[in-house]
Amino acid sequence: MIGMDNLITGDKKNIEHLFHLEQFEYYHHDVSKHVHVPGELDYILHFASPASPIDYLKIPIQTLKVSSLGTHNLLGLAKAKKARILVASTSEVYGDPLVHPQNENYWGNVNPVGPRGVYDEAKRFQEAITMAYHTYHQLETRIARIFNTYGPRMRLNDGRVLPAFIGQALRGEDLTVFGDGTQTRSFCFVDDLIEGIYRLLLSDYAGPVNLGNPDEITINEFAEEIIKLTGTNQKIIHKTLPVDDPQQRQPDIALAKKLLGWEPKINRAEGLKITYGYFSALPKEELYKSNEPRQFTQ
Ligand code: UDP
């Protein structure tokens, strides 16, 4: 078992508990550069990419490279090793969707040259090249379209809404809702997602499959939930809505239910409690740490 990361947005601490395992190896490597792994491989899971809009605005070229060049490298590796590969795609392939909820047959509404285009278009290219390796090289490929996911070990200051709100509550700051807060998201607890990923990996279906929790909520309601959960006395303040921020997002998971017998089991109240437990136990200095993505040459 190999974990490979250049830690541009990740943290070694998140996998330290695996280091004592004899069968686990860690490679510090950027998959956008040629990937060499000796010996046999059965499965490759490609999850490398910044995933927070604030991160991918700061490192746009690397975001584009990891899902294009990085995916190409890993598909080549899978082909050489005769391994099955699962790639992490995203609900962002649907852009600011005109169909609601989003099912896998919807082609999306993406602005290629907007600030989010660096992520959305790279992931769309990733799906295209993965499918091409499947049809042309008969490679065993799987594509997970992952919707908003949360849980312990997120980076507190990665800019995504859940760590942003919890960090603000823990520091005694007001909660920053972008825009009027009527935009919606549907949040899936990480353990549920992992179960879905695992089942998809072991399935025999090569088309894209939505994985997420269909329980949809506005960002205003979400902020209220975080205020209640954390017991903070702070209030909600509004900031400018980021360009091309999707107005609504909810996965249609009928396909995953049928194919994988999968649906999320952990509701938001339960998942948020576990996640808040993790964040509130972090050492105080973590709350104030500048947690920028590490700058490398793009
Ligand atoms: N958001 C917000 N306040 C924040 C961070 C995010 O209101 O401090 C909003 C953001 O504009 C979006 C939603 O929360 O509508 C989810 O944002 P996130 O960055 O978590 O991911 P996205 O789903 O947009 O990829």
Side-chain angles (χ1 to χ4, degrees), residues 51-54 56 90-92 116 119 147-149 154 158-165 168 175-179 181-187 219-220 222-223 237-242 244-247 249:
S52 156
I54 287 183
Y56 49 75
T90 167
S91 52
E92 284 283 329
R116 299 172 89 102
Y119 184 64
F147 284 65
N148 293 69
T149 299
M154 288 178 96
D158 83 357
R160 278 182 286 183
V161 66
L162 177 135
F165 284 172
Q168 287 161 345
L175 273 60
T176 53
V177 167
F178 297 163
T182 57
Q183 71 273 31
T184 67
R185 293 294 186 272
S186 309
F187 297 96
I219 296 301
N220 278 330
F222 190 58
I237 54 169
H238 290 268
K239 291 212 164 166
T240 319
L241 188 69
D244 296 335
D245 197 281
Q247 183 54 37
R249 185 183 285 156

Side-chain angles (χ1 to χ4, degrees), residues 5-13 28 50 55 58-59 62 155 289-298:
D5 202 328
N6 68 349
L7 299 178
I8 191 165
T9 58
D11 194 332
K12 222 185 201 170
K13 271 200 238 111
H28 188 97
D55 281 352
K58 287 182 189 147
I59 41 175
Q62 292 204 336
R155 206 169 89 233
K289 210 159 99 183
S290 145
N291 222 347
E292 294 285 304
R294 290 168 185 80
Q295 292 297 330
F296 292 103
T297 316
Q298 305 212 18

